[in-house]
Amino acid sequence: TLLPDFSMGYARLGSIYYKLGDLVQARYYWDKALELDPDNDSLRYFLHQIDQPDEQLQIDVDTILESQDDEMIDFLGDPDTT
């Protein structure tokens, strides 16, 4: 079960839905995570990016994953371990 006050759980659910292409559910869970952790800049960044055209959003996410930015990979979930 999901802990109701664990923002990272909601953030990860948002990332899973994003990877599945369900931007509505991704936004819902990222918004919920941001309510619980309002200082999380990663969440703010992805909520901003989700409003960009699809081509630009994909390029930005690919660039982050290729950069091996530990904070962003932790937020998104390491694709090699999820």
Side-chain angles (χ1 to χ4, degrees), residues 2-74:
L2 184 66
L3 299 171
D5 295 329
F6 184 56
S7 67
M8 185 58 73
Y10 289 107
R12 291 268 170 95
L13 278 172
S15 296
I16 290 166
Y17 279 109
Y18 169 78
K19 289 178 184 183
L20 292 173
D22 189 339
L23 300 183
V24 172
Q25 287 295 314
R27 173 177 289 289
Y28 171 81
Y29 285 109
W30 284 341
D31 280 335
K32 182 68 175 172
L34 192 60
E35 287 176 23
L36 296 170
D37 184 7
D39 296 325
N40 190 317
D41 291 333
S42 297
L43 289 167
R44 290 185 189 287
Y45 174 79
F46 277 99
L47 284 166
H48 171 75
Q49 289 298 309
I50 208 169
D51 293 327
Q52 302 301 314
D54 290 340
E55 300 82 21
Q56 184 64 41
L57 180 61
Q58 187 61 44
I59 290 168
D60 289 344
V61 171
D62 289 343
T63 300
I64 290 167
L65 290 175
E66 289 170 7
S67 75
Q68 298 299 307
D69 181 327
D70 291 337
E71 182 180 333
M72 286 294 196
I73 288 174
D74 183 49

